[in-house]
Amino acid sequence: MNPWTRPRTKLRPQLIGTLLSGLLLAACAAPPETAPLPAPTAELSVNTLTPPTPTSTPAPAATQPGATTAPIEPTITAADETAATAPIGCTPGAALTPAQTEGPYYKADTPERASLIDADTPGTKLILSGYVLTTDCQPVAGAWLDFWQADDAGAYDNAGYSFRGHQEADAAGRYELTTVIPGLYPGRTRHIHVKVQAPGGPVLTTQLYFPDEAANARDGIFNPALIVALQSTPASDAATFNFVINTH
Ligand code: FE
């Protein structure tokens, strides 16, 4: 009877305490669990959103500068494609670049240089570039190219080495010559002379011509297969031509 009263009164506070602490624990545990759940969800979405946001923020930002870069990139891409298409555009079994007469003005032992002009050289600046390839469209690394041409006034330098120079194609078979558009001289259309040789291979002597030249049709040496692809800009002209040569 009464003996249970005390225990009861003692147990009750214990039970209450246990219950309270249980409730407290539950209360404490619940919020953290509940909190973390929304929190992570929120954080995840924030993080998920955040990264995209920054990523997409810079992305647009990059796109805008990129928009500035965009016009540049296509230009570069176009240039690269032009460069890349050159050899790629080559179909195995490609025709050899036709040989042409050397003419009377060749001089051996030209200086090694990729530019034949300086800042004061009269004439329209021309950058002539392209690849030296085999008939199987393989680059001829280290091919030797020796250029000579008339100056802007149509005169050859037979005393010195003006507008004469040789260079080697790079590992991709690419060459680039900086010069001016050669002038016309009596009896010939506009042209650039060149000798091309693979290491240890035979020398190809030929000439390059320009499109839309009235004198092309009147020149008995002219060969349309040797016309460069010409792109004129206000600053300079850019011409491309790929040589296909025998390597042995
Ligand atoms: Fe000539």
Side-chain angles (χ1 to χ4, degrees):
M1 300 184 21
N2 285 339
W4 289 106
T5 313
R6 280 188 181 178
R8 274 180 192 173
T9 42
K10 279 182 184 175
L11 280 173
R12 278 184 183 171
Q14 281 176 352
L15 283 171
I16 290 166
T18 311
L19 286 172
L20 280 174
S21 55
L23 283 171
L24 278 171
L25 281 173
C28 291
E33 279 174 21
T34 331
L37 282 176
T41 317
E43 280 176 30
L44 277 177
S45 19
V46 169
N47 286 333
T48 314
L49 290 174
T50 306
T53 309
T55 318
S56 46
T57 304
T63 310
Q64 286 177 348
T68 330
T69 337
I72 298 170
E73 279 179 20
T75 312
I76 293 169
T77 308
D80 286 348
E81 277 176 7
T82 311
T85 339
I88 292 168
C90 177
T91 306
L96 290 167
T97 298
Q100 291 239 293
T101 179
E102 179 181 274
Y105 303 125
Y106 177 67
K107 287 179 72 174
D109 303 321
T110 57
E112 179 173 5
R113 56 186 178 190
S115 176
L116 306 182
I117 62 171
D118 57 37
D120 301 323
T121 305
T124 302
K125 186 178 176 182
L126 169 70
I127 295 175
L128 169 66
S129 64
Y131 293 83
V132 182
L133 307 167
T134 66
T135 52
D136 289 331
C137 305
Q138 296 303 305
V140 182
W144 171 82
L145 302 104
D146 198 7
F147 294 95
W148 74 103
Q149 66 170 82
D151 64 15
D152 178 53
Y156 283 91
D157 177 10
N158 295 312
Y161 287 90
S162 293
F163 289 104
R164 300 172 187 275
H166 74 269
Q167 61 179 279
E168 284 186 2
D170 66 16
R174 188 176 187 276
Y175 73 92
E176 183 174 302
L177 176 74
T178 301
T179 182
V180 295
I181 297 281
L184 289 164
Y185 61 89
R188 291 302 317 275
T189 187
R190 209 178 300 280
H191 63 282
I192 293 177
H193 296 267
V194 60
K195 286 178 183 285
V196 190
Q197 181 182 29
V203 176
L204 165 71
T205 300
T206 191
Q207 302 182 28
L208 300 181
Y209 298 95
F210 294 85
D212 306 321
E213 287 284 339
N216 283 349
R218 301 193 293 268
D219 190 314
I221 302 173
F222 169 76
N223 181 340
L226 295 166
I227 295 179
V228 301
L230 188 65
Q231 187 176 18
S232 297
T233 69
S236 64
D237 285 355
T240 55
F241 190 87
N242 297 328
F243 297 96
V244 180
I245 63 170
N246 281 321
T247 54
H248 55 272

